[in-house]
Structure formats: C-alpha cells, structure tokens
Amino acid sequence: RCAELQIQLTEAVSTMAGQKELIAKLEHDLSTIQALPTVHRPDAEGAAVPSLEKIPEPIKEATALFYGHPPSPGTSFPEGQVDSLLSIISSQRERFRARNQELEGENRMMQHTVHALQSELDNLRADNIKLYEKIKFLQSYPGRGGSRDDTEQRYSSQYEERLDPFSSFSRKERQRKYLSLSPWDKATLSM
C-alpha cells in the first residue's frame, strides 16, 4: 500500500511540475502579447506582411493551429493542452456572447423607452397647444385682462403657426413633392 501511494505521489508531483511549466509558458506568452503596442495587420487577406518577424511566437502558433497548418518545428502542443486552450477560448466566447445578448436586450429596452418618451413628449406638446388655445379663448371675453408669462409666449408661436393657412399649405406641398420623388432622389435628399 505504501509503494502504491509513493507511485501516486511521484505521478502527482510530475503532473504538478508539468502544469507549473505550462503556466509559466502561458504567463510568458501573455506578457509577450501584452508588451506589443499593436500587431500589424495586412491590408487584405493574403497581402504580404513586411514585418512578420514582429509577430510573437504564441500568436503564430495559435494561428497555425486555427488554420490547421502544422506549427513551427520544435513547438508541438500536447493534446490535453490544445483541449485546454480550446475550452478556455470557448468559455470566453460564450461569456462574450451572453454579455452581447444582455447589451442588445438593454439597447432594445432603451430604444423602447426613448420611443415611449418621444410619443409622450409629442402628446404633451399637443396638449399644451390646446391649453393655450383655451387660454386665448378665455382672454377674448371682455373685461378679462391678460398678463402674458413665458409659457404663454412660448406656445403662442406654435399656436399661431398651426393656425396660419400659408404655413399649413406650404407644409402639405412639401410633403406632396417629397412623396412624388423617386427613391433615389429621396435618398439623395436625405443625405
């Protein structure tokens, strides 16, 4: 029994030493990648890269594994290490995907809120103009003096514009002309 435990201990120690070496290599590779200011990317796929020697070895190895090319001579990854890297990258991709879906959901909620607030704002503006119209009507009775405040002045121009037949006609004509344009002209006009 003692010999069995001794064998298991030596196996565990050798596994731990191997893992320590892998961790040190991974930390070294990460520090090499982080030390780079930026990795130069070619202008197009297949374009010649004049500074290929600036790309660190870990990136070359990972790219070679990804595209199925054999890695550089002298650098072969054990099967367990490739599976380990694949599981790390897969879990990171899943975290990013979940975060992306969460952000898209938040974006949809924000857009919905903005649309709801915009429609509420439009309704409040219409209500304010109607209230101004009622104020105007009440002030038209004899014996009613009117002291105008800022709110009344602000809505008076909108009220007068709504009643102005020329601006209403102009708005309708612009809308008619716009609807008669071709889609290409509409796109050009919007640009």
Side-chain angles (χ1 to χ4, degrees), residues 1-14:
R1 173 139 167 94
C2 183
E4 226 178 86
L5 290 175
Q6 189 66 28
I7 292 172
Q8 288 178 352
L9 177 66
T10 55
E11 287 175 359
V13 168
S14 65

Side-chain angles (χ1 to χ4, degrees), residues 47-176:
V49 180
S51 60
L52 195 58
E53 62 274 354
K54 290 184 180 178
I55 298 176
E57 196 62 34
I59 293 177
K60 289 180 187 176
E61 293 169 2
T63 306
L65 281 174
F66 181 73
Y67 286 114
H69 302 302
S72 315
T75 58
S76 62
F77 292 117
E79 187 63 33
Q81 188 177 5
V82 171
D83 291 340
S84 168
L85 286 172
L86 183 63
S87 67
I88 290 171
I89 291 171
S90 296
S91 64
Q92 185 178 26
R93 183 192 68 203
E94 292 303 318
R95 283 193 310 271
F96 285 148
R97 182 178 291 155
R99 180 68 176 143
N100 187 27
Q101 289 174 348
E102 179 183 320
L103 289 175
E104 285 176 351
E106 287 177 14
N107 187 18
R108 280 191 296 274
M109 290 296 293
M110 290 294 180
Q111 286 178 350
H112 179 69
T113 304
V114 165
H115 289 303
L117 290 174
Q118 186 63 44
S119 65
E120 185 178 348
L121 179 66
D122 293 340
N123 290 338
L124 288 174
R125 275 198 186 118
D127 290 347
N128 285 340
I129 291 173
K130 287 177 186 175
L131 288 174
Y132 179 77
E133 183 178 8
K134 289 179 182 181
I135 290 171
K136 198 77 161 145
F137 176 75
L138 290 174
Q139 286 178 349
S140 68
Y141 281 112
R144 286 278 207 183
S147 64
R148 299 180 65 137
D149 62 353
D150 291 338
T151 307
E152 287 181 38
Q153 290 175 358
R154 184 173 52 217
Y155 289 106
S156 68
S157 63
Q158 292 178 12
Y159 173 72
E160 296 296 330
E161 182 180 313
R162 199 176 82 179
L163 291 180
D164 184 18
F166 296 113
S167 65
S168 174
F169 176 75
S170 174
R171 219 175 310 126
K172 287 179 184 175
E173 281 297 305
R174 259 189 255 120
Q175 183 67 19
R176 186 182 63 80

